[in-house]
Every structure is written in structure tokens, then in C-alpha cells.
């Protein structure tokens, strides 16, 4: 941007003439922000850090020159609210990362448009002074209320709905109208609304996404966009992106191929990144890669919103993903975290292996699930006794989740015992659709299953595998509901005084067994946790409260830790550190109630502790780029967290 006397010109591909015309027809104030943009002064002075330019309007593109105020952010002075800017009371504009060099970002922050901007809208909470300053007097009823009363009102309204999907739609509507109110409601009632904005309700939302679709959230990149992905990323209004959650929709939870309608997953995950991990909403970008779907029902659905073709695969798929990953790094830098979500096995492992050395990537289905399950097992040891190396683990399911958990368990045992990983893997057995994974099946196994092929006679059924392997821990990651039958639970109970049973598949309909079944069939002796939440169970006069092995315990804190340390790669030791940090938050009181995970009510403090442990490991491994290391990483993590409280615009 060049400043000549009191006039200025905008050098930008997209002309602001449209905004100028709008400004002539409405009384608007425009705030123009240039993160780390170099401004050339007429005295040849260069400002190479954040510069904020506030103008009365952009009508001067057509009219007489207008004075321009340049504010140097290196000073302690914050820009006033004259042009729609606000004091950054929480440090959110700079807390979690450096600003990248970005093109212009123009936001209309006054009048009718302000009430339609979810990031800045406060509804009836706008004060009398704000209503005058921002031209919204008369556009709202005269009453002024505070945010707490708004939360109370929304809580009462949403609780009126009986159907979870209706609650989900109400929450999404709120997010699209008033972002801070949405997050305040979610944070203060996380145990109530976590199952609504994420699993299990998000699964049904994805199944019906085409029918309930109202307003686009995130970016949709399809095969038609090949060769133009960098250009498409520029269409997203936020330029400083720190976390991307991306899916191709092929394996949504346990529901299968939902194609383009899988967008509900990235949107839900990133809502949790903000609510539970404190990552600013503007730093988060949900993306769906649409390469078609093999779901005939969707292809014949008139309301389906994606490409109507069979899934691309092979070279065509690989080239699109490679262009996407290159475009992300080119657009947002090497420190942007890309979280792969709900990719099918045949792509998930390959993508993680291919890009883990060149990008900051993380697969929640493989690594996040593994970390949260390992944490639960560490806590369970306090109830059943012994170390991890003293136990035998049997999995039903040998996909991304199953093999990911198995590998992290083996890594932790190897770390504790100094025994080679190849040996510690022998503590873990997996059953897939064809039975126990053994050496005689080696040549026909997919590559990610081969490390788990041990010497043993063929076993077809899970019940027979339980009786033969005699596991102390049974873990379900099959995506197949009701596969932990009464006979299987009774067999586990006959072998163990306190059998550890984890039914991890989502949504609830796909869970291997319910909490009620686990406690009843084990005569109240099971240590049980599930992927989806279950209500407390009464057995023989005692109330059993089961834990939820939910990835939401891990990925928000992990992401925050990667961001505050400026990590450039995700290392397995960071996942182990996250598991140990979560286990440390389980108190004796929780254990006495049979819980192997802490309640979600304190999840932000839990995420801060996880972030600190992950960041510490990043510094130890030499993978951190944000120097020097803060002295108190827990306090630093907490200070970086986004606050949903309203800001004062005057």
C-alpha cells in the first residue's frame, strides 16, 4: 500500500469499488487490517510489523481524499473503535502465532451488516453507546442484556427440543449468527452439548447434511478444481490459518462413505478445537475434498450436495491430494497443522506416511484415538494393578483405530521396559473380519496389519480368540455394533477379576456393546469406557458411571501444544506425552467411581496441561520453532486460549 500525502491507493486484485458503492447506499464504517503488510510512507519510513489502517469510509475511492491513520502495534496503544476496530483485550490477535504476510482483509463493522456478522454480532448485548457508535440504534429492540442472560435464554430454547438432530441444527444456527455466544454456551455446558455438536449426533447430521444444508461452512474442493487449489484457498476470508481439518468423506465414523456430506466432521472437530483447546475460530479452516462417492443412495438423492460420480482413486486421487497439501503449505506456511479425518484405511495410512516428514500432519483416527485409549489404559492400571507389560490386549477391528492404538501401546511398553518394539508388539493381538491375524495370513494382509501377524493357529470367531489368547483388555474398534456379545463379556469376566472392556466405535448404534450390557454381563466387575456417551447404570443397587474414550480429550490440547511451540512435525513421543498428561488428570475420586477419564467439565484446564506436555516434548526433540521456550508452559497455554466473552466496541 502506498500512502501519498493524505490520499491512498489500494493495490489488490479485487477492487473495492463494490464496497464503495455499498458505502454510498448505507452508512458504513470499514476497518481494513493488514497483518504484517509493509506500508510505504511518503518519508520512506517502513513499518514491517502489523499495521492497522482506520478510515472513515472507502467512498474516497470515488470522492475527495480522506486522512489515513497508521497505528504502530509495537506501541502499547491499541487502535480505537472508530472504524469498527476493538481493543484486543484478551490478546487473541497475537496470542498463538505470528502473523503471516497476507493480502487485504476488509470487514464491514457497522450498521445492519454488523448484526449479520457472526464474529462481531452481540445481539441485544450491544450497549447504548455501541448502538450509536456503530449505527445500529433502531435495528434492535431497546432492551440491553448481558451475555450471561443470553446464554440462559439459549439454553432454555435448545433444551425444548427432544430430537438431538434438532438441537444440533439449533446450535449450528447460533454459530452462524453469534459466534461468541455459541462458544460460551458450549464451553459452559460442554458435557451436555458435546454429544450434540460432535458424536453421536454429528453422524446423523452428516447422513442428512444435504437435506439440512443452509449455509456453507468451510471450503469444498472437488476434482473439478484440480490445478486451481491455491486460488480456491485465497477465497477463504481468513489468511492466518493454524489448523485445518480435512476429510474426503469415505469413512465417516462407523457410517461409511458419505462423500461431500462428511463436512459435518471437520466443522464439528474445529468447533471443539476452539471450545476445548482455545484455538481462535478465525485460525481454523474445515475442508472437504470431494472425489465422488460410492454410496448409491447418495448418488440417487436429489438433495445430495456433492459430485455425482464414483470415487476417484489411484493416480487421479493422489495428484489431487498432492496439489492440496502443496497448496496448503504455500498458502499458510509449514507450521499449519493439517488433521486428516475419516479417510478410509487404504488412503489414511499412505497419506500420513507420505506427508509426516514434509508437513505438520496428524491423523485423529489413527493417532488421536490411540493417544486417548492409551491414557485410559494407564488410568485403568491403577484399578487392575500391574504395568502395561503385564497385560495382554485383544482388539476387534484392525483398521486405522485398531492398529493405531496397538502401535502406541507397544511403543509405550517399549519405552517403559527398553524392550525392542518388535517384541512388545507380541503383547497385542488383533481380530479382523477374517479372524485372528496370524503369520499364516501374512501374504494376504494389508501392509498396516502385517506387524500384528503372530504365530498362532487359525481362529475365526472373537469368542474363541478370547478363550485362546486370554486377554486382560478387550478393545473394540470394528465399527460393528453389538459384537461384544453376552458370551464374550462373560468369557472376559471368567478370566479376569476386573476385565477392562473398551467399546470405542461411533456413533452409539455402532458401539460393540452398551454400558448396561457390560456391567450386567460382568456382574458389575468390568472397567468400561466407550466412544459414545452412555447414561449411568444401576446394578445391584450400585450406580456405575462409565467413561467416554473421546478423542476430544486429546486433539484440542495436542493442537494447542503444537501451535504454542511452533512445532514443525508431529512425533510419536508427543502422543505419548499427551496420553500421560491426560492420565495425570484422573484423580482417586474418579477412580473410586470407576472412571478412567476425568469429567469434561474441566476440559480447558486439561487441554492446557496436555498442550504444555506436548510443547515440552517439542522443545526436547528440537522440533519447536518458537523461541525462547516459555518458563511456565501451562500458564502460557492458558493465556493463549480464546475467550468467548464479548468485547467492548466503544
Amino acid at each position: 500500500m502506498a500512502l501519498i500525502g493524505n490520499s491512498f491507493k489500494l493495490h489488490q486484485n479485487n477492487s473495492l469499488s463494490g464496497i464503495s458503492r455499498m458505502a454510498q447506499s448505507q452508512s458504513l464504517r470499514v476497518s481494513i487490517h493488514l497483518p504484517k503488510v509493509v506500508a510505504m510512507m511518503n518519508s520512506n519510513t517502513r513499518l514491517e510489523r502489523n499495521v492497522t489502517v482506520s478510515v472513515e469510509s472507502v467512498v474516497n475511492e470515488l470522492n475527495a481524499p480522506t486522512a489515513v491513520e497508521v497505528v504502530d502495534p509495537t506501541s502499547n496503544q491499541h487502535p480505537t473503535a472508530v472504524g469498527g476496530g476493538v481493543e484486543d483485550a484478551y490478546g487473541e490477535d497475537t496470542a498463538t502465532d505470528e502473523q503471516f504476510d497476507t493480502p487485504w482483509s476488509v470487514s464491514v463493522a457497522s450498521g445492519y451488516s454488523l448484526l449479520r456478522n457472526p464474529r462481531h454480532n452481540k445481539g441485544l448485548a450491544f450497549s447504548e453507546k455501541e448502538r450509536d457508535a456503530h449505527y445500529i440504534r433502531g435495528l434492535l429492540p431497546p432492551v440491553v442484556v448481558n451475555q450471561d442472560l443470553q446464554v440462559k435464554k439459549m439454553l432454555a430454547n435448545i433444551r425444548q427440543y427432544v430430537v438431538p438432530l434438532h438441537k444440533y441444527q439449533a446450535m449450528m444456527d447460533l454459530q452462524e449468527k453469534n459466534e461468541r455466544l455459541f462458544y460460551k454456551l458450549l464451553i459452559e455446558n460442554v458435557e451436555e452439548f458435546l454429544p450434540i455438536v460432535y458424536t453421536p449426533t454429528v453422524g446423523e447430521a452428516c447422513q442428512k447434511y444435504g437435506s439440512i444444508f443452509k449455509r456453507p461452512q468451510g471450503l469444498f474442493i472437488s476434482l473439478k478444481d484440480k490445478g486451481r487449489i491455491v486460488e480456491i484457498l485465497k477465497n477463504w476470508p481468513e489468511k492466518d490459518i493454524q489448523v485445518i481439518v480435512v476429510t474426503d468423506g469415505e469413512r465417516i465414523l462407523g457410517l461409511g462413505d458419505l462423500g461431500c456430506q462428511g463436512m459435518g466432521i471437520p466443522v464439528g472437530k474445529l468447533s471443539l478445537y476452539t471450545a476445548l483447546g482455545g484455538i481462535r475460530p478465525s485460525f481454523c479452516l474445515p475442508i472437504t475434498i470431494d472425489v465422488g462417492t460410492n454410496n448409491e443412495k447418495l448418488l440417487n438423492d436429489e438433495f445430495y450436495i456433492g459430485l455425482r460420480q464414483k470415487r476417484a482413486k489411484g493416480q487421479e486421487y493422489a495428484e489431487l491430494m498432492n496439489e492440496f497439501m502443496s497448496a496448503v503449505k504455500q498458502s499458510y506456511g509449514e507450521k499449519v497443522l493439517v488433521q486428516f479425518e475419516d479417510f478410509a484405511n487404504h488412503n489414511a495410512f499412505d497419506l500420513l506416511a507420505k506427508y509426516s516428514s514434509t508437513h505438520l500432519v496428524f491423523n485423529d483416527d489413527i493417532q488421536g484415538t490411540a493417544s486417548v485409549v492409551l491414557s485410559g489404559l494407564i488410568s485403568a492400571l491403577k484399578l487392575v494393578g500391574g504395568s502395561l507389560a503385564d497385560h495382554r490386549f485383544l482388539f476387534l477391528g484392525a483398521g486405522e483405530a485398531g492398529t493405531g492404538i496397538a502401535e502406541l501401546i507397544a511403543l509405550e511398553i517399549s519405552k517403559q521396559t527398553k524392550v525392542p518394539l518388535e517384541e512388545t508388539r507380541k503383547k497385542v493381538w488383533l481380530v479382523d473380519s477374517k479372524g485372528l491375524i496370524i503369520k499364516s495370513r501374512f501374504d494376504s494382509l494389508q501392509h498396516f496389519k502385517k506387524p500384528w501377524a503372530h504365530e498362532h493357529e487359525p481362529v475365526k470367531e472373537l469368542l474363541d480368540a478370547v478363550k485362546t489368547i486370554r486377554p486382560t483388555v478387550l478393545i473394540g474398534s470394528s465399527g460393528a455394533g453389538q459384537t461384544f456379545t453376552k458370551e464374550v463379556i462373560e468369557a472376559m469376566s471368567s478370566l479376569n477379576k476386573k476385565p477392562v472392556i473398551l467399546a470405542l466405535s461411533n456413533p452409539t448404534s455402532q458401539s460393540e456393546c452398551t454400558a448396561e450390557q457390560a456391567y450386567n454381563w460382568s456382574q458389575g466387575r468390568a472397567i468400561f469406557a466407550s466412544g459414545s456417551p452412555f447414561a449411568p447404570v444401576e446394578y445391584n443397587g450400585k450406580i456405575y458411571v462409565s467413561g467416554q474414550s473421546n478423542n476430544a480429550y486429546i486433539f484440542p490440547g495436542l493442537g494447542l501444544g503444537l501451535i504454542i511451540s511452533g512445532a514443525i512435525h508431529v512425533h510419536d513421543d508427543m502422543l505419548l506425552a499427551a496420553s500421560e498428561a491426560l492420565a495425570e488428570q484422573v484423580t482417586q475420586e474418579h477412580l473410586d467411581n470407576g472412571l478412567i477419564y476425568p469429567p469434561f467439565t474441566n476440559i480447558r484446564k486439561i487441554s492446557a496441561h496436555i498442550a504444555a506436555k506436548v510443547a515440552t516434548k517439542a522443545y526436547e526433540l528440537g522440533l519447536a520453532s518458537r523461541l525462547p521456550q516459555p518458563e511456565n508452559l501451562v500458564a502460557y497455554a492458558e493465556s493463549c486460549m480464546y475467550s468467548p466473552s464479548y468485547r467492548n466496541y466503544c
Side-chain angles (χ1 to χ4, degrees):
M1 171 178 155
L3 298 180
I4 307 174
N6 288 329
S7 66
F8 70 95
K9 296 180 180 179
L10 300 175
H11 298 284
Q12 163 85 345
N13 291 333
N14 298 324
S15 171
L16 290 183
S17 59
I19 296 177
S20 297
R21 288 191 293 272
M22 188 186 345
Q24 289 176 316
S25 63
Q26 300 182 44
S27 294
L28 301 179
R29 291 176 183 253
V30 180
S31 174
I32 305 178
H33 303 282
L34 296 82
K36 218 175 186 180
V37 172
V38 178
M40 294 299 298
M41 310 296 291
N42 56 0
S43 61
N44 294 322
T45 301
R46 294 173 60 89
L47 298 176
E48 300 195 292
R49 299 194 60 183
N50 296 347
V51 179
T52 300
V53 181
S54 299
V55 298
E56 185 64 24
S57 73
V58 292
V59 182
N60 46 18
E61 190 181 14
L62 301 175
N63 298 331
T66 299
V68 176
E69 175 191 6
V70 178
V71 181
D72 183 357
T74 57
S75 71
N76 294 325
Q77 302 274 323
H78 288 283
T80 65
V82 171
V86 296
E87 181 177 351
D88 186 16
Y90 303 99
E92 294 161 8
D93 288 334
T94 55
T96 51
D97 206 359
E98 306 166 357
Q99 300 291 313
F100 295 105
D101 291 338
T102 64
W104 288 88
S105 175
V106 180
S107 61
V108 178
S110 286
Y112 190 78
S113 297
L114 175 57
L115 301 180
R116 297 298 182 271
N117 186 321
R119 185 149 300 159
H120 304 298
N121 179 31
K122 300 197 292 185
L124 293 177
F126 281 110
S127 68
E128 298 284 355
K129 189 176 180 181
E130 289 171 328
R131 295 180 190 206
D132 288 331
H134 297 283
Y135 305 99
I136 53 178
R137 182 167 293 281
L139 301 181
L140 293 168
V143 68
V144 176
V145 302
N146 60 37
Q147 193 177 22
D148 289 334
L149 186 60
Q150 288 181 311
V151 168
K152 183 179 180 180
K153 177 183 176 181
M154 288 306 306
L155 196 57
N157 289 343
I158 294 174
R159 283 174 175 170
Q160 290 179 5
Y161 294 107
V162 176
V163 179
L165 184 60
H166 294 166
K167 294 184 178 182
Y168 173 88
Q169 290 177 276
M171 289 292 286
M172 293 303 101
D173 287 343
L174 177 60
Q175 187 178 24
E176 292 171 5
K177 293 175 182 176
N178 187 328
E179 187 175 83
R180 288 181 181 269
L181 184 58
F182 167 82
Y183 282 113
K184 188 171 179 65
L185 180 67
L186 178 56
I187 291 168
E188 293 181 357
N189 303 275
V190 64
E191 290 191 310
E192 179 176 352
F193 289 113
L194 184 60
I196 300 300
V197 300
Y198 197 58
T199 182
T201 309
V202 72
E204 183 182 0
C206 288
Q207 288 177 307
K208 301 176 180 177
Y209 206 80
S211 299
I212 66 176
F213 180 83
K214 293 181 181 179
R215 179 178 175 180
Q217 294 174 290
L219 282 177
F220 294 85
I221 297 173
S222 75
L223 287 169
K224 296 191 297 183
D225 303 316
K226 189 176 180 181
R228 300 188 301 169
I229 295 180
V230 169
E231 178 184 341
I232 290 171
L233 293 178
K234 290 179 181 178
N235 291 341
W236 187 249
E238 303 295 341
K239 306 307 175 186
D240 185 4
I241 300 299
Q242 295 180 348
V243 182
I244 291 172
V245 176
V246 59
T247 186
D248 70 355
E250 189 170 5
R251 191 202 63 84
I252 298 298
L253 302 175
L255 303 172
D257 187 351
L258 298 184
C260 191
Q261 296 188 169
M263 177 59 94
I265 297 296
V267 169
K269 288 276 186 178
L270 287 169
S271 294
L272 299 186
Y273 261 112
T274 297
L276 312 186
I279 310 299
R280 285 180 62 202
S282 61
F283 288 165
C284 300
L285 174 56
I287 295 179
T288 290
I289 306 290
D290 186 359
V291 296
T293 178
N294 294 332
N295 187 323
E296 290 292 340
K297 183 178 179 181
L298 289 179
L299 291 174
N300 295 320
D301 184 351
E302 63 178 327
F303 298 129
Y304 181 56
I305 59 176
L307 292 178
R308 295 181 185 274
Q309 67 174 65
K310 294 291 186 180
R311 277 192 170 272
K313 55 185 179 179
Q315 184 176 352
E316 185 179 20
Y317 180 90
E319 288 177 354
L320 185 70
M321 288 304 301
N322 190 60
E323 182 187 348
F324 168 71
M325 294 301 293
S326 299
V328 163
K329 195 169 185 177
Q330 177 181 335
S331 301
Y332 306 123
E334 66 176 1
K335 291 184 288 184
V336 61
L337 172 61
V338 178
Q339 177 171 313
F340 296 120
E341 196 68 40
D342 287 350
F343 286 77
N345 294 337
H346 56 273
N347 289 320
F349 289 99
D350 291 343
L351 289 171
L352 186 60
K354 181 176 182 179
Y355 295 108
S356 59
S357 60
T358 59
H359 292 67
L360 184 67
V361 294
F362 169 71
N363 187 302
D364 194 40
D365 303 300
I366 299 173
Q367 298 166 296
T369 301
S371 187
V372 73
V373 172
L374 176 59
S375 176
L377 294 175
I378 293 172
S379 299
L381 293 178
K382 299 172 184 176
L383 295 171
V384 300
S387 65
L388 280 177
D390 297 325
H391 291 267
R392 290 182 302 281
F393 306 87
L394 178 64
F395 286 76
L396 177 62
E400 298 169 50
T403 55
I405 300 165
E407 184 72 1
L408 205 61
I409 290 172
L411 278 170
E412 181 69 6
I413 295 174
S414 177
K415 174 185 172 183
Q416 292 178 2
T417 63
K418 309 303 181 185
V419 174
L421 181 61
E422 292 74 15
E423 288 299 311
T424 61
R425 284 177 177 151
K426 295 177 181 178
K427 295 279 185 181
V428 184
W429 297 80
L430 280 71
V431 173
D432 65 7
S433 59
K434 295 181 174 61
L436 195 66
I437 294 179
I438 53 176
K439 281 287 187 182
S440 60
R441 294 177 53 196
F442 189 85
D443 292 339
S444 64
L445 292 172
Q446 293 167 286
H447 67 89
F448 55 86
K449 295 182 182 180
K450 290 185 176 182
W452 311 103
H454 308 318
E455 291 290 351
H456 200 280
E457 294 297 317
V459 178
K460 290 288 293 181
E461 302 298 330
L462 175 62
L463 178 59
D464 294 330
V466 170
K467 292 177 179 178
T468 302
I469 303 300
R470 301 175 67 84
T472 55
V473 179
L474 178 63
I475 299 174
S477 60
S478 62
Q482 294 299 298
T483 44
F484 286 178
T485 63
K486 181 179 180 182
E487 292 75 19
V488 168
I489 301 296
E490 288 177 342
M492 283 292 296
S493 302
S494 68
L495 294 169
N496 303 283
K497 183 179 179 181
K498 292 183 177 180
V500 179
I501 298 171
L502 307 181
L504 304 178
S505 294
N506 287 314
T508 309
S509 60
Q510 307 303 117
S511 185
E512 286 78 10
C513 69
T514 66
E516 184 177 16
Q517 290 168 339
Y519 292 123
N520 285 340
W521 294 341
S522 68
Q523 298 178 332
R525 293 190 283 119
I527 297 171
F528 177 78
S530 56
S532 292
F534 286 103
V537 175
E538 182 179 354
Y539 178 79
N540 278 354
K542 183 178 178 181
I543 301 297
Y544 293 85
V545 182
S546 60
Q548 188 184 357
S549 185
N550 192 319
N551 292 20
Y553 278 116
I554 290 292
F555 69 80
L558 174 68
L560 180 61
L562 295 171
I563 290 171
I564 64 174
S565 64
I568 56 175
H569 296 296
V570 177
H571 193 280
D572 286 337
D573 283 354
M574 297 177 185
L575 303 175
L576 296 177
S579 297
E580 293 163 2
L582 176 57
E584 289 172 1
Q585 302 305 306
V586 179
T587 67
Q588 188 59 48
E589 182 182 356
H590 299 147
L591 295 170
D592 291 342
N593 291 325
L595 290 173
I596 56 176
Y597 294 101
F600 267 105
T601 50
N602 206 28
I603 185 60
R604 280 202 148 200
K605 286 194 173 293
I606 293 169
S607 293
H609 281 275
I610 292 172
K613 284 293 185 75
V614 169
T616 298
K617 188 58 64 175
Y619 284 107
E620 289 177 0
L621 295 170
L623 296 176
S625 63
R626 188 180 296 282
L627 300 172
Q629 177 180 341
E631 291 184 12
N632 187 332
L633 279 167
V634 174
Y636 181 64
E638 290 178 338
S639 72
C640 290
M641 285 185 165
Y642 164 85
S643 167
S645 298
Y646 287 146
R647 293 159 128 179
N648 181 7
Y649 293 171
C650 285

